[in-house]
Each structure stands twice: as structure tokens, then as C-alpha cells.
Amino acid sequence: MSNGNDATKKDKHGGKMNGKNGSVEKNEDALVKEEIKKYLEEEVSLKRLSNKARIELLEQGTITLQSFLDTMVSGLKKPWKKILNLLESKRIIRNTDLAERFTKKRPIPKGVLNETRGYLIKFEEWNALTRIKRPGEKHYVYYCNLPGFYKPEELHNLSPDIHKVEILKSMNYRWESLSDLSEKLEINLSFLTYLLDAYAEQGLIEKEEREYYSQRPTCETTFYRLPKGFKEIGEITPNTIKAFSIIRAINLLEEEQEKEAGKKKFVSLEELVGLMEEDLSNKTIIPKDIEIKGDSAKFAFLGELPLGHQFADLKLIDYFLEKLKQFEPDYFITSDFVQGDFKGIQVDRLRTLTRIGLLNKVSVQHKAANFVLKELEKVAKNVVYQLSDDDWQISVSRALIAMQQFLALRRSGLSSIFPEEIKRRSGEDYRRFMKMQWQYIQPYMFRIGRTLYNANEVNAIIGEKISEYLLIVFILYFEKRGEPIPKEWKVIVDMEALHGDKKKSKLSVTPDPIILRLPEKFGHKIIHVVHNMGFSNVTQYTKSLQIPEAIFRHLQARGMETPYLLMDFHQERFFGASIGRDKESRQPTFIFNLPGCKNTLLDASYRMKSFNAFNILTDKVHRQNTFRKEPATPGISLFEILSDGRLRIKILTHKIQQILEANINEPEIKEIFYECQDIQIGSITQRIEWGIKAHDYALYARGATIVDYNGDVLHGNNYKQHPWENRPRRLTSVASQQEFLRKIFGAFYPAPNVKIVDIRVGNHEYNTRGVADSGYNNLAPFTAVLKEKHESRGLLNTKISCWNRLRLKNSANPGGSEMNWPYTAKTVAGGFKYAVQHKWSFGDGDPLAGMAQWFQRMAGSAGDIDLIIGGHYHIFGMALIAEKFLLQLPGLNDQSGYEMQGGFMPQSMVTIIEFSNKEGITIELIPIEFLEKYKCISPMYKDIDAKGLLDRPKPGTREYDFGLPSPYIYQMEEEADALYPEV
């Protein structure tokens, strides 16, 4: 086909035709050169040239593509018009699309398909089109190469994801020229320019212009490379490309926010207040209301079992698992089950790791922790795992690794930020990765029972070589932007576990303090568990409760609500105290440091190889054994809260285990021990109604077998102001106090199950004037009364003793020592030995420290004691040291003037201790609220109580205003005073 001006014959597309010899070609080439020369000398216009000459000019770059298309012969303009119309409507086309415009026949004849394919190929040769075969497809598609035909965003979207992957995978992290990329990718140069520019616009690649030779850039001056962020992503896939784009967009948003921060203005103080309140509201833990069936809420606590640490005490758990199943806790609260691998931090602690069974690896530690948690799920209705200090250290190390790994991602899209600005923002990066690690990754691993898959493990499952950590990062970013999560990622990442606890699992995992609120029948009591309430290498290892006690007393002073139970795992030293009552609920607040589950005796006894123990300063074991000078006692804590206000506590230890194992073939022996002390009969602070109900409950409802009167039963006559200070009670003489004691408490005896009654004086008895001179025991008459009542009924097996003179069999010297001192020690229920004094040691005012000081000084003699009981201080305290329970128990008197002066509040309550050779030791704390509601069942007080004669006057009554006791006690005071009126 000719345009009428061609000097030679051409094919219908304007190409040359081969003659029978080369003379025709030579003549054609000469004619074309002549035409081009005339055109360049402006002797002829472009339209007057042959198609061959125009093609040569196009290839030389002398004319533009558009000029070429505008001056084509009519035989080419028509097909080009059809091609262009199709591209404008479809944006990319196939040969079949064009062929349908050339014929109406269906199916399309082969001749038409060949003709249209010829047109497309020619226009591709002339760089008007680009032909690409997309992976997975057999046919080619054609793109338009005209400048500006596609917008960058459109071209980015028209380019298939898999096509982007192939292009990006073929690129490097070093600069490559456009021509080299065109050759490597086998993509038309001009189309590749548009495509790569579109990718650069999207931030998927980086572009650089180097104008070395002229002001007009040529192909060789344009360079592209992959951003370094793709290195951290790992494998390039359609999903990771999308993730990279999202991360870049978020980085850019942060850059904009940084700029906007300088422009921020506030219009009012109220606006600032609102922002601060909203921020704190987002960070505040809301108590979780829990359901409890029945009238008791049971909680088990097991912490500081860092699997992977050489001293993790799994033997204790293994032995008591069946006991825990029998206990059936409503909630089993746990913490610190994974030791970590100390990557980059505290590396000296690597020496403390278990080196058998790969337990020095975090992945194996998590599997072990999951196994233990599954075992606990079998015994409890709910299991809660609270992240610990060791989990925090793992998070820190992983966050630091992530920061280094994602440095290039931080730079992505922030080309305008200088390196020092990026460095300045590294603190925000650390916060971001720590939050991700602490709030998402660490809980997630406990919920799924394993550590995260590495890139190779993920590749084996879904064929994408990308780590599960990165997948989680991308998922969180996708969710932030509202993008759908790729299905293949969900095969790896458990989406339910990532965002919360699994519904079909009993396990709940939290990085935060646990706040549980009991139902209304329990008075909405709050259980508040914190892994670490204020660990300090100095104060917390010498006085365990110093920080939480001081803080929560301060909170009470400010009128804030404080919880019923406040628990701390970290100290690995069981210590408990009551710190007063909440202002609104009037419920007591107990603070407990819970025991851990590490047995460190090998280290403490210097029997460990030095490499695994010497001077590991960052390990708590070292500080416990050297600074605190007290090896940890492992234990599992059980708490039972009853709806009537009583609290039962049981700690399972190796010593308990030894006694239970020694009695495995024996029938159950159970002793119910009732402690009665600090009644202070004759004092204005006496509350005899509480004492009567305590006796009734212990002796008749609980069937006490051992009753212990541990001093200060009588107020005595200790100081000059005693007669007038206590005149309202009228029991100012010791004789009247003794008579009152006989009438009130003597009435309970003989009691149904009591086998032992031990009586010893306290400071109020032995400090009474004249006692030191005469040696008289003011509780001897009460002892005589009880003996007479039992002997007269033939009950000769009940042992009633008033202790002063004693023999300490296990003394420092052979044969034992003899002394006069009110001290008692007994072995009961198959091997449990308890010891009681009214007041222990010469301590610094801390009764538990005094007890610990005493048995440390008496270690050779007191090594076989399991439980130590003291009174005197009118407060509650409890500890577990060297597998000995230390119990500082209050009495049943109210606040005195002496205590008022010093700022001390009595923590009045009753204590019953149950010894069982099958169950261990259970301590029951009975609050005054329980006693005030309790109705007597003993024959001597049942009717009296039923008539309301033991009810103390209520506020607003005349009797209350005048400080009178209940009607019955008032009558008994009058009778005792009438019999013994002397002062």
C-alpha cells in the first residue's frame, strides 16, 4: 500500500520488500537517506516523506511518536484509530479485542486475527504500544505508550500484582539504569519508564536523575532501585507490597503530624482538661465482674515458675496437682512461666538457664509453659496468666531487635527527614515496638502455646518466606487502615488469639494488673493482682510490704477505695498484712506478697558449680541469698473467700508435702485449733459479745479440738490510770475480771470436741502490779475452773494446762533445758508442730520480723517447727520463711487510748487453724462482721442470743451514746462487780 509519494515499493505496513537481488534494497536505503537529508535541511515537510523515512526519524529520536502517528499513511491511520479508541475505553487490550472491530463474523477468522496481530506488532515496534504476557496467562495484552495516557495511580493499578512482584524481584538495592532494567526485564523502554515512574510515585521504588551530559536527561541518566525497607520485609509478594505501601503511608502521616504539632493551638483550659481525661481513660483498667456459683470464691496463685531457669520447682506442682483438682479453684492466677534467653540484655543470666531438653530456648520454654497451663486448666474453672518481669525483659530484647530490623521501614517515605531526625524519633519507635510486643506478641504466644514461626517455617506452610512477626506487624497496619487481611496470612496468625483470649479456652492472658470484682453476695469485694508492686534491690528485699503498705494506706487516707485482696507475685516471699478498712465498704484490705516457685537451696548452700551460680548479680536468686540473706521458700497459695466474710488461706510447700507423704497410709487426722487472745477483760476496749460468738462458732459450729488462750485474756492492773480509765466497765479489780472470765467463757466447757486447752499469760497478766513480786498467775483460777468442770464429769482425757514452767527438750545442751516462760509447742495431726507465745523476740516493732529473728537465733532448736503464732500487737500479719508459717494474730478488743495516741488501728478478728495429715494447714480468718451476724448454737448462749441480749446498741440509741455493751454483758459486768467491788 502506498501513499502516492513512495519512491520504492513497500508492503502494506510501510516496510521494505526484498527484491530478487540486493540492488533494490540499496536503492531504497539511498533514497531514504536522501529524504531524511532534505527533511533535516527543511527542504521537505514530514508529510512528504516516505513511511520508511519517518520510521528512521522516529527510531533516531528526531521526531516524536505523536508526530509519527499524525503523519502515517491512511492505511495505518485507520487501524491505529481503532486501537486508540479501544485503549481509551478498555485501557489495556488483547488482539481479539481489535479483531472484533475488523469483522462481525464469529468465531473470528484466522486471517483477521493474523492481520490485526500484524498491526499490533508494528505499532509495538514503533513504541506506540507495549506488549506484555502476564504470568499465568497464555495471551499478550497491550498498553498504550503515549505520554500522559495513564495517570501514575491508574498505571499502578493496571499493572497486575504478580507483574509488580516479578519486576520488583528482578530489581536490586543498588542503583540500576533504565536501559539496563529494560534489557533485563525485556520490557519496552518507554513503557517501562512510565511503569517504573508509577511505582516510584507509589513509593515502591526509588528514582534518581543524573544529568551528567546535557540538560536533557537521556535513558542512561535515569536510575532506579528498591528501597531498603523491602530487605526487612523479606520475600516480595503482592501482600507485602501492599503492606510496604501502608507502612510508607503511615510514616508519611507521622511526618505530617510532626509538622502539625508546631501549629497546635488550644482555645481553653477545658479543652486541655478533656484531652488529659480522655488519655487517662484509655489507659485505665476497668474491673472485671466475675460470676461465682455457690457461697465461696476459690482462688489459686502460682507464680515465679520461670521455665528455663535452673531452679524452677516443677516437683512441687507435680505433687500437689491432685490437691489442686480437689480444691477446684474458680480462678487459677499465674505469672512468670517463661525465663527467656537474654538476647542482648542481662546476658550474664545465661549461666542460670536449664541446659537439658533445650529449655534454654524460648521456643521450648513456651511449649513447657503451655503444657503446665493446660494441666492447670484441667483443675480450674478459669486460668489467668499475667505477664511478668521476665516477659518484659523478653519484650525489651525483641523490641530492640525489631527496631534494628525495621530501621529502613522507618526511613521509607521520609526522604525529607535528616538522619538525626530519624535518630531523635527512635524513642517513639521503641515505644511502638514495645507496645506491640507487650500488648500483642507476648500474650499471643501464651494463647497459642508457642513462639512465632520464622520465615522458613511460614514458607513451608503458605509458600511465603516471611516471618510470623512481620505478618502480625502487617496485619495490625492493615487493620489500622481498614484493609482486608489476606486469607493466607490467617492460616499462620490466629486472629482470635492476636486480639484477645480464645473463647473455647479457659486461659486468659493479660499484660496488665488483674482486677476482679466479686458478685453482690460477696459484697463486691475486689481482688487486685499486680506482678510487681515496687521491686527494689534495697527496700523490698528486707521489708517486703513496705512499698505497697505505705502507698495503700496513703490511698485510704485520701478516701480512695482499696481492694479486699491486693496480691504481688514478684518478691517470691510470702508476706501478708491487713492495712485497715476501706472507707466506703468498711471491708478490710489485705496485702499479700505471694510465694514463688523456685527452689534455690542448692545455690544457698554453695553446692552449685561456680559457673552456674557465682556472682550473677542480675539474677534474683543471687540477691535473695546474699542481700536479703533469705533463700526463697517455694509455695502454691490457695485463698477461699466466703460470702459471709470469712477468708481461708492454705499454702502448699515441700514441708507440707513431706508430712502428707509420711501419712499416706494413715487414716485422716484433723485438729481444729482455736486461738483466743487479747480479750482484755476489764478494759474499756473489751468486746465480750465478739468473744462469746467466737467461742460458740469455734467450739460448736467448727468443732474445735484445741483451744489456745494466748495471753491478755485479762486486762489486769498495769498502769496508774487503770481504775479511772476503765471505770465504765466496772471490772477494775483483777478478782472481778477473773470472776467475769469464769462466768462468760467457763460456761462453754466441757465442749463437744475439745481435747486440749492451753492457757498462758500475756504482758497484761504478768505486768499486773505485784505479780512479779509474788509469782502469782492470774489465769490460774480459770485453769482450775476448767479442770474441775471436766474432772467432775469424768472427762479426764482433756488436757488443760496453764503454761509457765516448761522443759525445752531440743535445747542447745544435752538433756533439755528447764525454764519458766509462757511458751507452748505441740505436734499434732500426724506431724505438724506449732509453737505459741504471746510476744516474740526483742525486735524492732515488726512482729513478723521478730518471729523470724527468734527462729533464726533458735534455729538448732526450732528447725522442726512448722507454725509460729503470736499475739500482743492487735494486728494481723502472716509470712512463710524457711517453710515456717509465721502468724501474727490480732485479738477481740477494740481500739485503745494508747493505740489512738500512737496512730494504730486494731485489726480485730478470730483465727481458726485446721491441721490435717491429708490436706495440710488451713488458716481461717473470721472478721467481726461475721461474728456480729452469727447466731449462737451452743446450749448456754443459744436462747440468750436469740432474744437479742448479745446485740450491741446501734448508733442513734441512748445506750450507744453512753457506750454501753449489750444487755447480757451489762448484766454480767454488774454481777461480777457486785461480787468483787474492791479496787
Side-chain angles (χ1 to χ4, degrees):
M1 189 166 62
S2 172
N3 62 3
N5 294 307
D6 291 349
T8 60
K9 290 186 178 180
K10 304 174 182 64
D11 65 19
K12 63 180 179 178
H13 302 307
K16 61 190 177 184
M17 294 177 62
N18 292 326
K20 293 180 180 180
N21 53 53
S23 61
V24 176
E25 277 190 29
K26 289 180 181 179
N27 290 336
E28 286 181 354
D29 290 341
L31 288 172
V32 168
K33 289 181 180 179
E34 184 65 26
E35 284 185 275
I36 292 173
K37 182 181 178 183
K38 289 181 179 181
Y39 171 75
L40 295 175
E41 293 174 352
E42 298 183 354
E43 294 179 7
V44 64
S45 68
L46 188 60
K47 287 184 179 182
R48 305 295 295 174
L49 297 181
S50 65
N51 215 45
K52 173 75 170 176
R54 286 192 289 268
I55 292 171
E56 288 289 337
L57 289 171
L58 176 66
E59 290 176 351
Q60 293 172 6
T62 306
I63 63 173
T64 64
L65 175 61
Q66 191 60 55
S67 299
F68 173 78
L69 295 174
D70 291 341
T71 57
M72 284 189 303
V73 295
S74 60
L76 293 174
K77 281 187 177 180
K78 288 181 180 178
W80 173 246
K81 186 176 181 180
K82 290 181 179 181
I83 291 171
L84 192 59
N85 287 339
L86 272 172
L87 284 168
E88 286 174 345
S89 61
K90 291 195 170 186
R91 310 310 286 171
I92 54 174
I93 60 172
R94 293 173 54 186
N95 181 37
T96 52
D97 297 328
L98 182 60
E100 288 175 353
R101 296 293 181 96
F102 275 69
T103 181
K104 293 184 178 179
K105 293 181 179 180
R106 301 292 183 274
I108 302 170
K110 280 189 177 181
V112 176
L113 287 170
N114 290 334
E115 181 183 6
T116 54
R117 187 178 295 110
Y119 284 126
L120 292 170
I121 290 171
K122 277 301 176 181
F123 282 111
E124 181 193 359
E125 288 178 4
W126 299 331
N127 288 332
L129 299 175
T130 291
R131 179 180 61 167
I132 292 176
K133 180 181 284 188
R134 297 187 287 196
E137 297 180 358
K138 294 181 179 180
H139 58 269
Y140 288 97
V141 294
Y142 295 85
Y143 291 79
C144 182
N145 275 356
L146 293 180
F149 187 84
Y150 299 109
K151 292 181 180 179
E153 180 65 32
E154 180 186 14
L155 193 56
H156 176 75
N157 293 329
L158 285 174
S159 176
D161 285 337
I162 191 67
H163 186 225
K164 293 175 200 171
V165 170
E166 295 302 320
I167 292 174
L168 294 179
K169 274 187 173 181
S170 67
M171 296 181 70
N172 293 313
Y173 297 102
R174 57 179 175 79
W175 293 106
E176 294 179 277
S177 70
L178 180 61
S179 56
D180 289 342
L181 286 169
S182 176
E183 183 178 347
K184 182 165 64 171
L185 293 168
E186 297 182 351
I187 296 178
N188 178 278
L189 193 67
S190 26
F191 178 73
L192 183 61
T193 302
Y194 303 138
L195 197 61
L196 294 182
D197 284 349
Y199 292 170
E201 184 78 16
Q202 293 294 319
L204 296 177
I205 60 175
E206 296 174 357
K207 179 181 178 181
E208 182 177 81
E209 296 286 356
R210 302 176 183 176
E211 300 186 12
Y212 295 144
Y213 305 110
S214 67
Q215 293 183 353
R216 182 171 63 85
T218 62
C219 296
E220 284 69 27
T221 66
T222 305
F223 293 82
Y224 299 89
R225 72 176 179 185
L226 286 176
K228 291 182 180 179
F230 271 121
K231 274 187 178 180
E232 280 63 47
I233 284 181
E235 183 169 0
I236 297 174
T237 67
N239 291 329
T240 57
I241 290 173
K242 191 174 185 180
F244 183 83
S245 299
I246 290 175
I247 293 172
R248 179 179 179 275
I250 290 174
N251 285 345
L252 288 170
L253 178 62
E254 289 182 3
E255 185 179 6
E256 290 300 316
Q257 290 175 342
E258 192 77 12
K259 293 176 182 177
E260 289 297 319
K263 304 175 185 177
K264 181 68 177 178
K265 293 182 180 179
F266 297 100
V267 297
S268 68
L269 189 59
E270 287 77 8
E271 180 189 2
L272 266 175
V273 171
L275 292 172
M276 296 295 294
E277 287 182 346
E278 182 181 356
D279 178 72
L280 289 177
S281 176
N282 293 335
K283 298 173 181 176
T284 302
I285 301 167
I286 300 173
K288 177 183 179 181
D289 291 304
I290 61 175
E291 294 183 6
I292 300 293
K293 294 181 179 179
D295 292 324
S296 75
K298 296 180 180 179
F299 297 86
F301 297 90
L302 172 60
E304 295 295 330
L305 177 74
L307 296 164
H309 193 286
Q310 59 195 2
F311 295 133
D313 194 354
L314 278 169
K315 286 184 178 179
L316 190 69
I317 301 167
D318 185 45
Y319 179 80
F320 281 113
L321 205 57
E322 187 60 35
K323 295 295 179 188
L324 293 170
K325 188 174 183 180
Q326 294 170 10
F327 181 66
E328 289 187 289
D330 293 288
Y331 279 83
F332 209 132
I333 300 177
T334 63
S335 187
D336 197 5
F337 277 16
V338 172
Q339 177 63 90
D341 53 7
F342 310 114
K343 285 191 175 179
I345 56 174
Q346 298 185 350
V347 291
D348 206 28
R349 294 178 68 185
L350 288 167
R351 294 192 278 144
T352 69
L353 295 180
T354 303
R355 293 289 168 175
I356 302 296
L358 298 176
L359 278 164
N360 58 308
K361 306 294 184 183
V362 169
S363 58
V364 179
Q365 293 171 14
H366 266 279
K367 290 178 181 178
N370 181 62
F371 183 85
V372 174
L373 288 169
K374 291 294 183 186
E375 289 296 307
L376 299 185
E377 286 185 54
K378 296 176 184 177
V379 307
K381 297 171 185 174
N382 300 278
V383 177
V384 183
Y385 182 84
Q386 183 180 56
L387 298 190
S388 66
D389 285 50
D390 285 319
D391 291 306
W392 180 265
Q393 293 300 332
I394 294 170
S395 296
V396 169
S397 68
R398 268 44 181 189
L400 293 174
I401 292 170
M403 282 182 65
Q404 183 178 5
Q405 182 181 6
F406 287 101
L407 180 60
L409 285 179
R410 150 55 73 187
R411 290 194 175 102
S412 177
L414 301 183
S415 56
S416 62
I417 292 186
F418 295 108
E420 57 266 26
E421 179 68 7
I422 294 173
K423 185 177 180 181
R424 184 178 70 82
R425 293 194 191 180
S426 63
E428 179 60 25
D429 285 337
Y430 174 75
R431 184 205 66 83
R432 175 194 299 154
F433 284 114
M434 268 306 296
K435 182 178 181 180
M436 183 183 303
Q437 189 74 36
W438 185 248
Q439 293 190 347
Y440 290 96
I441 305 295
Q442 290 297 120
Y444 173 77
M445 290 191 293
F446 281 101
R447 290 176 187 133
I448 63 175
R450 61 169 174 82
T451 50
L452 304 184
Y453 290 137
N454 61 36
N456 291 329
E457 291 169 326
V458 173
N459 188 46
I461 299 172
I462 63 171
E464 289 190 27
K465 197 170 184 180
I466 178 171
S467 70
E468 187 175 4
Y469 184 96
L470 263 178
L471 290 182
I472 290 174
V473 172
F474 294 160
I475 285 170
L476 295 177
Y477 277 133
F478 273 45
E479 290 176 337
K480 189 173 183 179
R481 300 277 293 200
E483 298 284 347
I485 309 301
K487 291 181 180 179
E488 54 269 32
W489 290 2
K490 294 181 180 180
V491 174
I492 300 296
V493 179
D494 187 324
M495 297 298 292
E496 183 186 20
L498 181 62
H499 292 291
D501 300 318
K502 297 176 74 67
K503 291 181 180 178
K504 293 183 179 181
S505 172
K506 291 182 179 180
L507 178 64
S508 173
V509 185
T510 177
D512 300 317
I514 300 165
I515 307 178
L516 304 177
R517 182 161 49 207
L518 294 173
E520 185 178 2
K521 63 183 174 182
F522 293 91
H524 294 300
K525 288 182 172 69
I526 296 289
I527 316 300
H528 196 154
V529 186
V530 183
H531 178 80
N532 185 352
M533 283 190 285
F535 166 77
S536 164
N537 294 351
V538 181
T539 57
Q540 282 296 88
Y541 274 114
T542 54
K543 292 188 177 181
S544 295
L545 297 178
Q546 181 176 348
I547 290 176
E549 181 175 357
I551 289 174
F552 275 78
R553 285 187 183 278
H554 177 87
L555 297 180
Q556 286 181 341
R558 296 186 67 167
M560 290 183 63
E561 180 183 7
T562 54
Y564 177 67
L565 291 182
L566 177 64
M567 315 299 242
D568 174 282
F569 276 111
H570 189 68
Q571 297 303 305
E572 299 184 62
R573 188 189 196 209
F574 184 76
F575 242 77
S578 176
I579 62 167
R581 294 179 176 274
D582 178 70
K583 181 181 177 182
E584 298 299 326
S585 68
R586 303 308 300 155
Q587 292 176 352
T589 290
F590 293 97
I591 298 179
F592 286 96
N593 277 330
L594 299 167
C597 216
K598 290 207 294 281
N599 193 342
T600 66
L601 292 181
L602 278 174
D603 183 82
S605 57
Y606 302 102
R607 290 185 289 155
M608 290 286 291
K609 292 182 178 180
S610 58
F611 180 79
N612 303 108
F614 175 68
N615 211 30
I616 306 176
L617 300 179
T618 50
D619 188 37
K620 278 198 298 181
V621 173
H622 174 83
R623 285 173 275 169
Q624 289 163 350
N625 291 343
T626 57
F627 190 93
R628 192 168 77 191
K629 303 172 185 64
E630 182 188 296
T633 298
I636 304 170
S637 310
L638 308 181
F639 286 73
E640 182 179 7
I641 304 170
L642 288 89
S643 59
D644 55 26
R646 290 173 293 158
L647 174 64
R648 291 174 181 157
I649 304 171
K650 179 187 292 185
I651 312 296
L652 306 176
T653 68
H654 283 296
K655 184 60 184 296
I656 300 291
Q657 176 185 347
Q658 291 169 15
I659 296 173
L660 299 191
E661 286 179 333
N663 285 270
I664 194 167
N665 296 319
E666 300 296 327
E668 182 175 17
I669 304 171
K670 183 181 291 186
E671 303 289 356
I672 308 297
F673 176 96
Y674 165 49
E675 182 63 68
C676 179
Q677 60 190 14
D678 292 284
I679 300 290
Q680 305 229 359
I681 294 173
S683 168
I684 194 172
T685 68
Q686 72 176 30
R687 297 293 178 263
I688 305 303
E689 297 87 352
W690 299 345
I692 290 173
K693 294 194 174 188
H695 274 70
D696 194 283
Y697 171 73
L699 275 57
Y700 285 83
R702 294 285 277 119
T705 58
I706 303 171
V707 180
D708 191 87
Y709 292 97
N710 189 28
D712 286 7
V713 179
L714 304 179
H715 189 62
N717 186 351
N718 284 248
Y719 41 87
K720 294 178 180 180
Q721 67 269 34
H722 162 69
W724 60 261
E725 183 177 271
N726 297 304
R727 183 178 55 80
R729 296 283 68 83
R730 295 175 303 286
L731 304 175
T732 53
S733 70
V734 173
S736 62
Q737 295 170 21
Q738 291 171 328
E739 173 63 13
F740 189 80
L741 170 62
R742 181 189 70 80
K743 292 175 71 68
I744 295 296
F745 294 150
F748 282 101
Y749 296 95
N753 300 301
V754 173
K755 297 181 291 186
I756 297 173
V757 179
D758 285 328
I759 303 169
R760 71 192 63 78
V761 297
N763 58 291
H764 272 271
E765 283 92 8
Y766 59 68
N767 285 338
T768 290
R769 296 176 184 182
V771 167
D773 296 329
S774 64
Y776 181 68
N777 186 327
N778 285 325
L779 293 180
F782 182 58
T783 308
V785 167
L786 296 188
K787 284 184 175 181
E788 191 279 327
K789 294 186 78 168
H790 285 77
E791 290 170 0
S792 64
R793 291 170 174 78
L795 303 174
L796 304 180
N797 291 329
T798 303
K799 296 180 180 180
I800 301 169
S801 308
C802 187
W803 294 93
N804 256 351
R805 189 179 182 188
L806 59 95
R807 181 179 296 279
L808 184 64
K809 295 179 181 179
N810 190 21
S811 67
N813 300 309
S817 58
E818 190 176 355
M819 69 189 78
N820 270 295
W821 188 252
Y823 167 92
T824 305
K826 279 186 169 62
T827 301
V828 297
F832 295 102
K833 186 174 183 179
Y834 68 87
V836 191
Q837 286 191 84
H838 181 71
K839 181 182 179 182
W840 294 80
S841 90
F842 313 100
D844 59 357
D846 181 344
L848 292 176
M851 290 181 184
Q853 188 181 71
W854 182 89
F855 79 69
Q856 285 171 353
R857 290 170 175 163
M858 298 282 289
S861 175
D864 60 345
I865 295 175
D866 302 305
L867 178 66
I868 296 175
I869 301 170
H872 179 68
Y873 291 96
H874 306 177
I875 61 172
F876 168 78
M878 184 177 180
L880 176 64
I881 301 176
E883 294 202 317
K884 302 183 190 317
F885 293 99
L886 313 182
L887 276 180
Q888 164 57 49
L889 299 177
L892 286 174
N893 61 319
D894 214 331
Q895 187 153 4
S896 69
Y898 177 78
E899 290 169 327
M900 184 70 176
Q901 175 199 13
F904 298 101
M905 294 182 68
Q907 298 163 357
S908 309
M909 69 175 75
V910 180
T911 306
I912 290 176
I913 303 169
E914 182 178 302
F915 297 94
S916 167
N917 65 340
K918 300 298 180 183
E919 300 298 327
I921 300 174
T922 303
I923 298 158
E924 181 177 331
L925 306 180
I926 303 151
I928 301 305
E929 289 80 1
F930 172 85
L931 295 178
E932 290 187 335
K933 294 178 182 177
Y934 177 80
K935 289 299 179 182
C936 294
I937 61 174
S938 63
M940 59 289 301
Y941 283 106
K942 181 178 180 181
D943 292 339
I944 293 171
D945 194 16
K947 295 175 183 178
L949 297 177
L950 290 178
D951 296 343
R952 291 180 59 80
K954 299 295 188 287
T957 63
R958 174 183 176 279
E959 290 77 11
Y960 180 85
D961 291 341
F962 283 96
L964 299 180
S966 65
Y968 180 75
I969 298 304
Y970 186 83
Q971 178 186 337
M972 291 297 100
E973 290 174 348
E974 290 288 349
E975 289 183 10
D977 181 56
L979 288 172
Y980 298 94
E982 74 278 5
V983 176

